[in-house]
Every structure is written in C-alpha cells, then in structure tokens.
Amino acid sequence: MKPSSKSEHISELRSKVVTSGYSSGTSCYVESAKGALVRDVDGREFIDFAGGIGVMNVGHSHPKVVAAIKDQAEKFTHTCFMVLPYEAAVLLAEKLCAVTPGSFTKAAVFVNSGAEAVENAVKIARYYTKRTAIITFENAFHGRTLLTMSLTSKVKPYKFGFGPFAPEIYRMPYAYCYRCPFGLKYPSCNVACADYLSEFFISHVAAETTAALIAEPVQGEGGFVTPPPEYFPKLIKICHDNGIVFIDDEIQSGMGRTGKMFAVNHWKVEPDLVTVAKSLAAGMPLSAVIGRKEVMDAVHPSGVGGTYGGNPVACRAALAVLDIIEEENLLQRAEALGKKLRERFDTLQKEYELIGDVRGMGAMLALELVKDRETKEPAAEEAKALVKFCFEKGLILLSCGNFGNVIRTLMPLVITDEDLERGLAIMEEGLLALQK
Ligand SMILES: Cc1ncc(COP(=O)(O)O)c(C=O)c1O
C-alpha cells in the first residue's frame, strides 16, 4: 500500500534505514513544538504530557532558550573546554553549585548525557574513596551504557541480551510502599527498608569496600516510586557513618519538576554528588555532576571530561533555563500543577478501580494501574491501551514502571491551564473507555 500521509512516508523510509532496536513509542513525525504543544508533519496537534521524557520543563522552543542558542551559535559552537575554555561553562558551574543542595563548597563537571553523568559520578566516588562497590536499587534506572545499564534494574528491554554486566554492583530493595518488598506498612514499618542498609553490609557487600550508594529520590523509569520523609535522612546517615558517597540522581526529577529545584530537597538532606541532565538545557545534550569540592577535586587532571562535555551552545541554553525557572516562578508552577494533578488523580482513583495508586511529587505524578486492587496484579496491557488511546486523541502520554503499568506526567511546566485540562479530559475519556 502506498503511504497516504507524510508521517507514513517517513515511516516507510525509516523502516529501511533506522535500526529497529531504536524504536519510537508513537508513529508521528514532529515538525514543530511550542510550550506544551507539538505539531507533526501532517498538521496534527498534540498536547505533550511527556516533554521528551522530562526534558522540556521550560517548554518547547522557549524564546529565551532559542535566543541564547542562536547567539552562541553565531559566536562559536565548539572549541572543547579541555582545549580552549569559555566563560559560559564556568558561569553555569557557578550557578549549579549555588542551586544544588549542600551547605558545603562544591564543584561541577560537564558531560553530555544522563548516563555519562552517572558514569562520572561513580568514577569520582571510586577515586575519592579508593573503594569499588556501588549500591543501587530495585526499580532504578540510570542509563544504557555498560555501567549504567548494570546499575539499572528493569531487565527487559534495558538489559536483556546485553550482558555480561559491570562488576561490583549490589542491588537493594527500594522504599516502594505500594508494593513493600518487606511486606510491611508505613508508618508502622518505621522505614525498615532504610535500616536494612546496615544489614545489607553483612549479607551483600562490606561497607568498607563500598564507594557509593546511588538513588533517584523519585524513581523515574521505575514508576515514580517516592519514599517516605524519613527514608533519605536515615539512609544518608548510614552512608556517612560508613564513609560512603551518596549520589543523588536528579536526571529526571530535577530542574524544578517536583516543585523544588531538586527532588531530594523535599527530604532536607545534603547529597555528596548530584547528577543532572534532561531539563538542564531544554533539549541540548548536556549533563553535569555537581558535588562536594573535596570529592570532585580528588580526581587527577584529565581524569574526567570528554570532547563535547559542556558544549558552549548547550551551556548557554542551560543558563537561559536557570533564568527562566526563576523569572517565571516555575518551582511554584510545578507545585501548583502537582496540586491540580493530585486532586484530579485522587478523584479518578475513586471512580476507576483500575487506578491502584497515585504517587509522586509536584508535577512528577503517576497512576499505577492494577487489574485488581486486592491482588495488585499489574495492568500493563491497560496502561499500553491508555497511552495508545490518548495518542489517537491528541495527547502524548508515557508509561513506566518495572511492570510497564504506571502512567506518568512529565508535561512542560509552562503548560497552560487550558491545555492541561484538555489533556486530563482525554486521559479520563481513555480510562472510561478501558472500564467498558
Ligand atoms: C534517573 C535517570 N538517570 C539516568 C538517565 C539516563 O539519561 P540519558 O538517557 O540522558 O543517558 C535517565 C534517563 O531516563 C534517568 O531518568
């Protein structure tokens, strides 16, 4: 059959020249995007609740970001910071050191992707502690490179067939209250999952050989799993009592998404190293590790870096992003969006048996779908059907979770109330269709 639309035409060519392992969740091809709206090559408009997987907190094609990119591109696009440095990267490091949690002196390094930031955080923690083991969590997602894939929990599609994995990685259960791995209930559990770290040193890996523990405060791909308030204070104390570096992976939860600049701020703790990427530079490939200067500076010159790390165009975009977050009060906006979403999702949960749990923080909220509220059997096909229904009605939605049964919200924080309403109405229509 001859392709009837431009998207189908591109799709046909794609199937010949783009490897099938590099797949897409949707079948439309983007022509332009603005704020929280995306238009495809066939003129269809979509409300974007995905933001390119949590990358567009300031919205698509924000005029300030576009202007910064254009201005920098006209001056120069690359010299390599390790050969000929430039001011934008230094100014960005200064700003990031100021906004990341921790009352101590900090320093930053720039690389390109989330996975690369995590790789470097691990390298730095190992160098500083002269230890090798890394503790990670069930449901964690840290990337697709060998080390970060090894840190990641979900087997299919991220790990299956790609072993052997990097050594010296040890996995703990996480504070997944809805499906407590210890079979307990909060708060009577006393957050035993955090205390378990002390036992983990006996049964899995010695504290003396552990360089770092890495956690996403609100797990992203893992299903927006959000630990209780006592969790991180307890966990970090055990880490620090044992000379272990605490790495806070804020790649998905950072840059204002949860109503604070970083999700870990909600727990009022001070991580030693923080990794950021995604919404840092509004789609320009840029990531960073920011942390205690003494830990960061332990590494010898040229021990970390890379050809493109801290690209000047990306740094200028990130500087614009930080200005926008402040000038447009996006932290307050994320909190307000979160309140709206929470109210709406709580109401939906009362109406639709399918919604087993509503969780998350700020504008990082999720619905966990279950076939049965008693057995909590994951409703993965239903989540998939909901995403498909919404796409057909003009809403881009993402699922996540180890079972693929969680629907998450990562819309640009600048979304208008009207577009938010339209998107939520489509979601509700989809839930109703599923219930029939
Ligand atoms: C928490 C977290 N860490 C790391 C990564 C990897 O980032 P990237 O895809 O830029 O390598 C992701 C990506 O989804 C993430 O959500």
Side-chain angles (χ1 to χ4, degrees):
M1 226 169 61
K2 266 189 108 140
S4 59
S5 68
K6 207 165 170 189
S7 282
E8 278 177 25
H9 187 80
I10 301 171
S11 207
E12 195 179 86
L13 174 61
R14 173 200 177 133
S15 64
K16 292 181 193 139
V17 296
V18 179
T19 180
S20 54
Y22 185 35
S23 62
S24 305
T26 52
S27 55
C28 67
Y29 287 81
V30 178
E31 187 172 81
S32 62
K34 188 93 193 137
L37 296 176
V38 177
R39 189 170 285 277
D40 83 351
V41 289
D42 296 304
R44 285 181 295 180
E45 189 179 78
F46 297 91
I47 301 163
D48 187 5
F49 274 18
I53 323 189
V55 171
M56 303 311 300
N57 285 3
V58 302
H60 294 282
S61 307
H62 191 291
K64 258 200 135 164
V65 174
V66 174
I69 290 172
K70 278 186 178 167
D71 182 61
Q72 184 56 45
E74 276 174 9
K75 288 180 176 147
F76 67 99
T77 55
H78 178 81
T79 54
C80 183
F81 191 77
M82 299 186 308
V83 179
L84 283 170
Y86 34 85
E87 192 182 24
V90 179
L91 292 179
L92 182 60
E94 183 190 29
K95 288 215 164 178
L96 288 175
C97 287
V99 296
T100 39
S103 45
F104 37 79
T105 314
K106 284 165 243 160
V109 59
F110 295 111
V111 280
N112 304 289
S113 66
E116 215 185 332
V118 171
E119 290 262 355
N120 278 280
V122 168
K123 275 172 68 174
I124 293 163
R126 282 181 168 160
Y127 200 104
Y128 174 74
T129 57
K130 306 283 178 261
R131 301 172 180 180
T132 53
I134 307 294
I135 299 176
T136 181
F137 288 96
E138 285 174 6
N139 281 71
F141 182 88
H142 296 292
R144 295 166 181 269
T145 57
L146 176 59
L147 176 62
T148 59
M149 169 180 66
S150 307
L151 291 168
T152 289
S153 169
K154 192 173 180 176
V155 179
K156 283 185 184 174
Y158 304 125
K159 304 171 80 153
F160 188 71
F162 297 133
F165 301 106
E168 282 301 284
I169 286 167
Y170 300 86
R171 192 173 309 281
M172 280 233 310
Y174 202 56
Y176 192 171
C177 298
Y178 183 63
R179 297 179 188 274
C180 177
F182 298 88
L184 301 171
K185 276 230 169 323
Y186 178 80
S188 58
C189 63
N190 277 327
V191 196
C193 50
D195 296 329
Y196 178 68
L197 178 56
S198 301
E199 208 177 305
F200 197 77
F201 295 144
I202 300 165
S203 56
H204 288 78
V205 60
E208 299 91 307
T209 58
T210 303
L213 176 143
I214 182 164
E216 303 154 80
V218 178
Q219 288 183 321
E221 303 303 303
F224 286 18
V225 177
T226 312
E230 302 86 342
Y231 187 69
F232 284 112
K234 273 191 174 199
L235 206 64
I236 292 179
K237 179 165 188 327
I238 302 172
C239 283
H240 288 170
D241 286 349
N242 289 281
I244 295 167
V245 172
F246 176 71
I247 305 173
D248 169 27
D249 182 345
E250 294 275 357
I251 288 163
Q252 193 160 148
S253 58
M255 307 313 295
R257 170 59 39 191
T258 66
K260 298 207 183 278
M261 187 61 93
F262 297 101
V264 84
N265 291 134
H266 291 279
W267 283 268
K268 300 190 175 62
V269 291
E270 298 192 337
D272 302 299
L273 300 178
V274 178
T275 54
V276 279
K278 289 194 186 279
S279 274
L280 171 62
M284 298 303 290
L286 182 70
S287 64
V289 184
I290 310 115
R292 283 183 192 273
K293 194 159 189 313
E294 82 207 66
V295 178
M296 300 286 295
D297 284 355
V299 176
H300 53 262
S302 296
V304 291
T307 304
Y308 297 113
N311 170 273
V313 183
C315 284
R316 289 287 306 277
L319 283 165
V321 164
L322 285 165
D323 285 347
I324 294 162
I325 291 176
E326 203 180 313
E327 288 161 11
E328 299 187 14
N329 297 318
L330 290 190
L331 302 188
Q332 288 93 315
R333 175 66 181 149
E335 202 182 320
L337 267 179
K339 271 206 186 102
K340 258 191 196 171
L341 289 167
R342 172 74 71 171
E343 269 169 32
R344 193 65 173 265
F345 288 176
D346 283 347
T347 309
L348 289 176
Q349 192 184 21
K350 289 191 191 99
E351 286 166 33
Y352 298 94
E353 277 293 300
L354 192 59
I355 302 174
D357 194 25
V358 178
R359 60 171 176 261
M361 283 182 152
M364 189 169 185
L365 273 201
L367 304 173
E368 174 154 359
L369 306 187
V370 290
K371 288 184 197 289
D372 180 314
R373 285 195 182 171
E374 278 303 304
T375 64
K376 298 184 180 173
E377 186 187 342
E381 302 81 30
E382 288 81 351
K384 213 171 169 180
L386 182 61
V387 169
K388 185 169 178 282
F389 178 95
C390 290
F391 173 71
E392 280 158 8
K393 297 275 178 181
L395 172 69
I396 308 294
L397 203 56
L398 289 175
S399 63
C400 61
N402 268 12
F403 303 110
N405 65 325
V406 181
I407 298 292
R408 57 177 154 172
T409 64
L410 287 169
M411 65 279 286
L413 302 175
V414 297
I415 189 168
T416 62
D417 287 342
E418 192 201 336
D419 289 338
L420 181 74
E421 260 321 303
R422 284 201 295 142
L424 290 172
I426 295 174
M427 274 180 82
E428 188 160 357
E429 212 187 312
L431 284 164
L432 188 65
L434 278 172
Q435 189 153 279
K436 278 182 187 155

